[in-house]
């Protein structure tokens, strides 16, 4: 049996359940491409899956390879796939019900492998898929943000937040963004019109009459945010379904969703990346075998942008 190096879990738990080990090459199904992974990145979703918080909703078969963002090169294509060829540089979001990308190889349906932005390294491309798709879908699929909208982005220095800021600015919105003191300059560099230091300022004292708020924090931020939405405004959350009834209680709309793989969206995002209209923010780059440290950093909640795992040096 052909083997590869991968980071797998055999049980749910702390980051110590992550094992860098030999694992079988992923099985390639009809319609798949096999990708040689050059880099992957760690999202909050990944450590929540690892910890078992989502096991009732995502019943994984263990052991499994974790992490689903990938950037790499097509190694093989299954019969019938005409959209890809061996040697293509691709990036995308794997299927959470299959082995993930914290490995030397990942097998995905061809629709999940989008041409990698030419201007980005694999490490930078791997920082994009889940976070950028979440931001894109929050702003444009669920909230329909347009020029002139007043948009509030919580955790604006984070993976999703940093993309949400840039995409909202691209559409011509006026953007408020919350972050800690050390990230205020980053927010300005990303285009935030009104950076808010949550350690010194209550955001609702600065941000008012908000059309759309993107929340990746949850907790008391939901009600505090709902109070400053315009009538009919929208609170979009990727963190908690309680955002919906809370927003509605204040005469606004609420939406809770999980980002979905979308070839069209990722292609448009790729074009914006190549045009240098938007950019990924990388907190740090670690080797694949340090996946446990990467999970702990992301779970700590204070990373700037994304933590990326380098698979091919």
């Amino acid at each position: 049996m052909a083997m590869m190096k991968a980071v797998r879990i055999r049980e749910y738990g702390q980051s110590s359940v992550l094992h860098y080990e030999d694992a079988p090459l992923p099985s390639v199904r009809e319609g798949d491409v096999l990708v040689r992974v050059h880099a992957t990145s760690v999202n909050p979703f990944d450590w929540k899956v690892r910890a078992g918080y989502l096991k009732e909703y995502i019943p994984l078969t263990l052991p499994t390879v974790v992490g689903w963002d990938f950037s790499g090169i097509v190694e093989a294509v299954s019969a019938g796939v005409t959209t890809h060829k061996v040697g293509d540089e691709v990036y995308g979001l794997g299927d959470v019900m299959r082995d993930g990308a914290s490995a030397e190889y990942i097998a995905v349906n061809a629709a999940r492998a989008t041409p990698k932005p030419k201007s980005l390294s694999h490490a930078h491309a791997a920082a994009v898929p889940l976070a950028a798709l979440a931001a894109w879908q929050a702003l444009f699929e669920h909230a329909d943000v347009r020029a002139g909208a007043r948009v509030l982005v919580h955790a604006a220095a984070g993976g999703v937040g940093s993309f949400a800021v840039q995409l909202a600015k691209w559409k011509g919105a006026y953007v408020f963004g919350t972050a800690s003191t050390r990230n205020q300059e980053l927010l300005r560099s990303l285009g935030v019109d009104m950076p808010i230091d949550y350690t010194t300022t209550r955001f609702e004292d600065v941000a008012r009459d908000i059309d759309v708020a993107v929340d990746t924090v949850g907790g008391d931020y939901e009600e505090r945010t709902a109070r400053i939405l315009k009538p009919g405004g929208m609170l979009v959350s990727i963190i908690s379904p309680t955002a919906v009834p809370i927003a509605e209680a204040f005469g606004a709309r609420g939406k809770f969703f999980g980002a979905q793989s979308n070839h069209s969206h990722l292609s448009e995002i790729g074009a914006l990346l190549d045009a240098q209209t938007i950019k990924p923010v990388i907190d740090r780059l670690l080797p694949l075998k340090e996946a446990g440290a990467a999970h702990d950093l992301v779970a700590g909640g204070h990373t700037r942008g994304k933590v990326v795992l380098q698979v091919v040096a």
Side-chain angles (χ1 to χ4, degrees):
M1 179 183 294
M3 303 292 283
M4 64 176 179
K5 288 295 185 184
V7 175
R8 298 197 297 177
I9 58 170
R10 302 188 195 98
E11 59 185 347
Y12 298 114
Q14 301 295 319
S15 60
S16 58
V17 303
L18 294 167
H19 297 281
Y20 178 69
E21 61 190 12
D22 290 324
L25 280 178
S27 57
V28 178
R29 305 173 185 172
E30 183 178 354
D32 278 356
V33 294
L34 180 68
V35 177
R36 174 69 165 101
V37 179
H38 281 234
T40 183
S41 70
V42 179
N43 296 288
F45 175 79
D46 302 342
W47 72 258
K48 291 174 184 177
V49 168
R50 180 214 75 221
Y53 294 158
L54 304 176
K55 61 186 177 184
E56 293 180 8
Y57 311 100
I58 304 171
L60 300 179
T61 300
L62 302 180
T64 193
V65 179
V66 296
W68 289 274
D69 279 339
F70 67 87
S71 182
I73 298 176
V74 174
E75 182 90 359
V77 297
S78 64
V81 173
T82 58
T83 52
H84 297 71
K85 65 182 186 301
V86 173
D88 285 351
E89 293 191 318
V90 294
Y91 77 144
L93 183 62
D95 182 345
V96 72
M97 298 308 297
R98 301 178 66 178
D99 278 338
S102 294
E104 292 180 315
Y105 294 91
I106 185 173
V108 295
N109 184 275
R112 288 180 175 269
T114 299
K116 180 183 75 66
K118 291 181 172 59
S119 62
L120 296 189
S121 66
H122 286 292
H124 282 80
V128 174
L130 181 59
L133 285 167
W136 180 282
Q137 290 163 10
L139 294 170
F140 308 138
E141 291 290 293
H142 300 302
D144 192 25
V145 166
R146 301 184 183 187
R150 291 166 66 84
V151 175
L152 170 62
V153 178
H154 287 309
V160 175
S162 59
F163 279 116
V165 165
Q166 295 176 84
L167 290 170
K169 288 301 297 179
W170 168 62
K171 279 293 185 180
Y174 184 92
V175 178
F176 301 82
T178 63
S180 64
T181 306
R182 76 182 185 99
N183 288 321
Q184 294 300 295
E185 189 53 45
L186 172 62
L187 265 52
R188 293 185 185 92
S189 74
L190 294 175
V192 173
D193 297 287
M194 183 63 70
I196 303 168
D197 182 348
Y198 68 77
T199 69
T200 62
T201 306
R202 287 178 64 83
F203 64 80
E204 57 268 48
D205 292 341
V206 179
R208 301 283 174 82
D209 299 320
I210 301 299
D211 293 293
V212 176
V214 179
D215 184 26
T216 65
V217 179
D220 72 342
Y221 268 45
E222 292 177 342
E223 181 171 331
R224 291 169 60 193
T225 302
R227 289 178 179 276
I228 58 173
L229 293 173
K230 288 181 179 176
M234 192 164 197
L235 173 58
V236 188
S237 174
I238 63 168
I239 198 77
S240 172
T242 59
V244 177
I246 287 173
E248 291 173 350
F250 288 91
R253 295 170 295 148
K255 179 68 181 182
F256 168 65
F257 80 103
Q260 300 297 311
S261 176
N262 187 297
H263 179 80
S264 174
H265 294 170
L266 212 48
S267 294
E268 293 186 73
I269 289 164
L272 292 174
L273 288 159
D274 275 339
Q276 298 185 331
T277 303
I278 64 174
K279 63 182 180 181
V281 176
I282 293 181
D283 185 288
R284 69 195 73 191
L285 184 64
L286 297 172
L288 179 61
K289 63 184 178 182
E290 293 185 27
H295 273 233
D296 288 340
L297 283 166
V298 174
H302 296 290
T303 51
R304 181 182 297 180
K306 297 295 295 294
V307 177
V308 176
L309 295 171
Q310 188 90 44
V311 182
V312 175

